[in-house]
Structures are given as structure tokens and as C-alpha cells.
Amino acid sequence: MSEVCVVGLGPWGLSVLERLVGSARRAPRAQLRVHVVEPGRPGGGIFSLGHPDYMVLNTPCGQHSMYPFAPQPGESRLGTGFYEWALARGYRWQDLEEAPVPGSLSGTELALRGTGGRPGQALAPGDFLPRRLMGEYLEWFFEVLKQEAPDWVEIVHHPAAAVDIEPLDDGRERVHLDNGARLDVDHVAITTGHMQEGTSVQPGHGGQPGSGDQNGSGQSHTEHFLAAYPVEPYMATLTPAHSVAIEGMGLVALDVLTALTVGLGGSYSPGANGRLRYNPSGREPRIYMFSRGGFPYTAKSFGAADPMGDYVPAICTTEAVRALKTGPDGGHRRMDARKELLPLVFAEMELCYFTTAAAQRDGNEVAEAVRAELVAAYTAGRFADARARWAARYGKFSAAAQFFVGEGANYVSAADYQRTVCSYVGADLDAALVQGGASPVKAALETLRALRDTLRYAVEFKGLEYSSHLDFQENLRGRFARLVAGPPAFRNQQLLALMDAGVLSLPFGPSPRLELLPGGRTRICSTRLGEPTQIVVDHVVRAHLQLPAVGRSSSPLLANLARRERVRPLDFEGLPAGSIDLDAEFHPLGSRGDAQRRLWVFGVLSEGVRYFTLYIPSPKSRVRAFVDAQSFADAVVAADALPREDVIVLTGDGGRGARTGNRHGPGARTGNRHGLDAQRARLVKVALVNNMPDSAFVDTEQQWLDLLGAERAPSDGAGPDLSVDFYTLPGVSRSPQVETVIADRYLPLAHLWGNPPDILILTGAEPKTAELTDEAYWPAMERLLWWARSNVAQVVASCLSAHAALWAFDRLPRRLLLDKRSGVYPQEV
């Protein structure tokens, strides 16, 4: 039995557990005990903290599910997606403009205030639901996984925190818990998410200075700066006489702003020209907001779908990035993100803008012509000219201007700056509120979601030069997030309403200077306004989350792993770059660069060496968590279920030298060979699943038999003997002649489940439909692939079955090429 420990069971830990259960279900010979170490309620993580209803998610509920893929053939599921779960529980929006009296709402009524919900209506897939519901869903899904786990998988929850992981002499790992318990396990997945980075001091409290976080006078920054979460302590102590500055303009800042307005009794009502009007409660403090970049996040499009897998890039492709990462000698080189990566990204965004605009105005045929011309122009170095020509017809759009909005800009006054921000937010809202996300501008911005894996390929695992890596983490990463990871549109509508009401103001401009004053007050001074502004505020709320890093986190677990020299900061030839260093298989690297093979790190803790991990794992553009977790699950399950010390793997000359035994004529099936002397001959079982069309069906048998063994004289005893059995997939219409062949020498596919071969060869078929999943044989194909992944040592996927495997395992879609391509291509595993 393998013992596995998952440290931290928020959304990322839950995705690891889901993949473990799924892999184990397909490997009945596995015996697993999974230890879940989570001090809170397992599953929800930070979403289980009981946030008020006005704290909402920034992704529509219909896009969330803790099942990453469609169910396998014959697979029954007890769980559902987030939207289906909430609907089944009868959750509805309750029409409440005042703060609900405690106990006045039923268990399924969601307070409408500040959520953008629809009064008295049932939920819809495009709704942005309260975060507490996500916590309930994730906790429920954990219980579902326990029920779905097969009999050979045991899940044990330990309500404690891990404080240390000690390597044992036998190669196992000892996990030390804060309650004194110890767990000796074979593998550990660390998915702890955000860790506390220091002490925050709430209004009216003293507190101790934070370690190493002081200004020149020796004062602690924590005496001045409040942590964004939890909101309740500072909400309870602030009065209208207080002034509060929110540092940040992203999602966390909007949470704080909502807590200080809606949370204190304010409400919104419809205003003129489609705007909202804020109705103050009188309890709000004076609120200011500022950030380094100076502009809020752009709003999510109303009704837009996740473009991942639907939009096919033509300029910013993996192949284009690979070419940039390849040096003149064919080796690996590091990129400069600003000079090399961003031009590809911007061109792709502009390609999407003009194609979308052309389709809406002139139809799909014209849009395809526009797309083809722009792609050809980019290849020929004429993209700017082609873009200008189409801009004259479809309107100007500059991806660089969207990305670098406000960079280096100066403003006449605070009023000039605030007007500029309001105008920008208003124009963005006009685009966001177009039904179905149909705005060409928003379609261009949403392209970044479809490009996430390409961006990851470019920047992760030290893909950038050192200075470019630091620039990406410090500057570019946030700009990508601002364009594509923003709030629902109603949050930015509320932002404008608060400025219209005078409750919120933006007087400082970008990148103001902060001066810490005695007594916990802070003077904030503009740096880019022609008419300087400075204001002294009572409190500053730091509304951004600090990413964990070795040497900076106050987590005992990370500190002890560093003390044991089992983790180190990300390192560029001796130059530290924060975060935590990992190898490409997600193992942390020790101080000497040695991979800790029994430890795996996923999620927020890996941000820096990884890119964009701050999300709830879900299908499409947030599926990467499951893909990564699958590598961990496969390694764990395979180690326990498939101890194959005697398997002969045929590669290179060994493959050429193998032979089939007892062939009785072309295409005949060789029978199982019993009674061989184990010291002289080794029997390797091969299963050939022939899915070729009738015209090539018998020829395919012979071709594979020839490939497997025609070059060696029989019975020389030097290499392995092969036993080849033939199978085919159900669901394919066959001629009477081929039906006779199948009846004569093919075994039923069900025979495989109890008789796994050493090698499985799966051939292709002529596609009949545009989508593989619509083929009649797809359910059997998908089930076979997943079964083989956990039960067969070597699988050869030929022709169309290779496409099927890439879709089943990695959700990589096929795309039609204009010309047939053949050859040998570079590959990175």
C-alpha cells in the first residue's frame, strides 16, 4: 500500500485529490491511503471563511467545476459542477436593499446587496455567486470524492497543520503536524496556497512590529498598514470620522471597497444613462484609492464564454515561442519578454479584434479573408501596414495601448487624473456590457485566456532572462491580470457610482509616495501630478496578496523545509528571484539543486517559477491544475499498482529484433505461448487494436506484424518472443468480409480488461465527423485510453488515435491545416 499526504486542502489540494481518486479508480490493483492535512474544513480553503454575500467570485458560476473532464464511458458521478450544485439546492437571489436582519433569510436566499444579482430570480450560469457558496461547494465536493473513492483507496482527514517534513532513511517522508502527530508516507503534495506573511495590526490595537519590515525610523510598517482580510475587524472600528486609503485597484481592493460601503449599509439603485447610483448609509469612512499603475482592472464581459479550446491562435503559437527559445546552435535560450514575447501577444490580440469586427460587420467569409491577410502580413513583416488598412474600416485598436495604459503618464491635477480613470472605466464598461461578450475589444482581451498555456510555456521554469524574469514578475504579470482577470462588470459600475457620490476619490495619481507618521497615520503624496496633492490618512489597507517565498514567509512549514535545505529560492546562476525553485516535474530543489523526489509543490506556492496559479481549478483555461496534478497521481498510482520489474520494453534495435511467434499465414493471430523455459525465452504480450477502415483493415494487421518481427529468424532464443492478439473497437460499421475476419481471429474488447498486455498498439481510423468526440467509436476509444494509461506499460498511438490520446489526456484539440504535413518535429516532454 502507498501512503500519500496532501498538505493543505483548498481548491488546489482538492484538484490533486480528485486526480488521485480518478487514477486509482482505473487501477484496481492499487492500494492507497491518502492523508489530508487541513486544519480547517477540507475543500474550501479561504472560501470556507464565511464571507458575507457581497463578497463574490470574479468568474461566472457556470464556468466552475471540480471535474476537469467529461465523464469516462460507463463512469457514474455523484458530483456536479458549481452552477448545477447551487441550482439543485434551490439558491435564489433575494430582493433586499437593506441589510438583512440576522435569521431573516432562509438557507437558500442570497442577499442581493452589492452582488449584481437579479431580484427574486433563480440563478443563471452567467451569475457571479457569493464566495461562501464556493466554499460550501468545495467542502461538499470533498465528501463526494470520499464516496466516489474505490474500495482500495482510503481518505483520512487530519484537522491540523503541517509544520515540517523530514526525510527518512528508508526513502519515505515524515510529516510533522502542529498537534504533535507524525505521518510516515511515500509521497507528499504541498498545496498550501497563500501563507501568512506577517502580522497585521487592526485599528485600535497595539501589536508587535513585523520582522524586518520597518521604515528608516525603526517604526513597523504593520502599525500603519492593515491586511485586507479579514474585513470584519477594521469594519467594526472605523467611523465616518476616519480616513482610509486602499492601496491597490485589483480584485482585493474592490473587496475592501465593498466591505467599507455595502458592508456598512450602503446600497445601489439604477441611475441615469445605465449607470448606478450609490445610496450612502452615513457610516462610511472617507475612502481613497491608489495604485502603482493607476488604473483599475478591466471588467469581465457580460455573458462571455471561456475561449480556451475554441479560439485557435495563428500568430502567438507554441511553435512561434519555441523558435524564440531555440538558440542558433539548436540549444535552449532564454527570452526577453518585452522585446520578443509581447509583440507576438499583441499581434494575436489585434488579429482577434479585426477578425471579430469583420465577422460582425461583414460576415464570416470576409473575416476569414481578414485573418488570412493579417497572418500573412505578420509573417512577411508587414503587419503594421495591414493593421492600419483594416483599422480604417473596423476602427483602431492597439493591444499595446490597452496593456500599458497610463505607463509614464503625468496629469495636470487630481481632478484631471480622476476624470481620465473614470473615462477609461466607462469605455471599458460599454464594451463589457455588450451581450454575450460580443465586443471586438473584449474578444481581443479575452484572447489572453486562450494564450495562457503559451505564456506559461514561454516564461515558466526560467524561460526568461534574469532581468526579464524580474520585470515580468514585478510589472508585466500584473498587467496581464488587469486585462483578463478582472471583476464582473457591476463592480466597476459600482466603482463609478461611488466616485459620483463623493464617497470614494482618487486624488493621488499613479505611484504616490507614502510617509509613515507617528501614531500610525500615513501621509500620501502625489508624484505625477502637475498640481501636487498630499493627504494624511488614519489607515492604509494593503489590498494585494503577497506571494509566498522562501525566506520571507512566516509559515513554519516553509521555514523548516528551508532549514533542512530541502527548498531554496528560485535561482538564476546564483542570482535569487524569489518564489520557490522547482524542477519541471514540480519537485522542489534543495540548496544544492537536488530534486526532492518525494515532495511535489502545486498552486500559489509555486508562483514565480510557474505562471498564473491564483485561480480555482476548473475546466478550460483553469484546467492546468488538474493536468499538473495528473502527473503526481499517475506517479503515485503507477508506483503502487504496476511493479513491472520483468517487463521488456522494446525500443531502438530491440524493437527491430523482436519477432512474433507461431504465425500461420498473413494476418493470423498468434496464440498464447505456454510452457516456455523462463530462462531461455521471455514472452511479451502485444494487443493490436485495429480501428482502420475496411480497405486497410487486413493490410494493417500484416504491416504491424512485419514491423514487430519480420527481421529476425525464428527460435534463435536471443530476444523476447511476442504474442499478438487482435481487437477492434465497437461502433464502426463494417463490410461482411471484414466482419468475417473479425469473427475469425479478433477477441472482444472486454477480454482486455482482465488481461492487460505489455504493449498496446492502437491504430487510427478515417475521421467521419468534425469532432472526435462525435465519432461512433469515441466512448470505447476514450475508455481504452484511460484504462491503458494505468494498466499497460507501453502504448503506441498511431494516426488518428494519437489525436484521440492528446484530447483525452491533455485536452489538446485538433485543428485543420491548409496543407498536409509530415516529418519529424522537435518535442519537449
Side-chain angles (χ1 to χ4, degrees), residues 187-198:
H187 307 274
V188 183
I190 304 173
T191 62
T192 46
H194 286 284
M195 296 178 174
Q196 185 66 32
E197 300 303 323

Side-chain angles (χ1 to χ4, degrees), residues 510-524:
S511 299
R513 184 180 70 255
L514 275 63
E515 299 175 0
L516 308 187
L517 304 177
R521 305 187 83 199
T522 303
R523 178 182 292 114
I524 306 176

